[in-house]
Amino acid sequence: MKPLTLLEGGNFVGLVAMIIAIIIFGALFISLIITVFVKFIYELKDGRKFSKKQFIQTMIISLLMCGLISGYICGGGF
């Protein structure tokens, strides 16, 4: 008997979409926490300001890192 994937087993499209949405929103939340932490550390020294451009760049970099980690774990590399 051939094993079935989640989508071949029946009407699980909603479940798969929900799992993907949870992963995306989780990565956004973790990236936001990391970015706020980096902003706090950056502004702590010498009264520097963390610009909106730096905030967005830091958020994108941490999102990419979360995506790489998630892909490594979910892809079976771990």
Side-chain angles (χ1 to χ4, degrees):
M1 181 184 230
K2 185 174 131 182
L4 297 174
T5 64
L6 193 60
L7 287 175
E8 291 172 335
N11 193 11
F12 290 115
V13 176
L15 178 67
V16 172
M18 214 164 48
I19 291 170
I20 292 171
I22 289 170
I23 291 172
I24 290 172
F25 285 122
L28 280 170
F29 182 70
I30 291 170
S31 295
L32 183 65
I33 290 173
I34 291 170
T35 305
V36 168
F37 182 71
V38 168
K39 178 182 177 188
F40 176 73
I41 297 296
Y42 184 80
E43 290 182 347
L44 190 66
K45 195 173 192 179
D46 297 332
R48 297 181 287 188
K49 286 304 228 181
F50 202 70
S51 69
K52 186 175 181 179
K53 182 180 177 182
Q54 288 174 317
F55 189 87
I56 292 171
Q57 286 176 341
T58 307
M59 183 84 170
I60 290 172
I61 290 169
S62 61
L63 266 172
L64 288 171
M65 289 174 32
C66 283
L68 284 172
I69 293 169
S70 172
Y72 184 72
I73 292 172
C74 294
F78 185 62

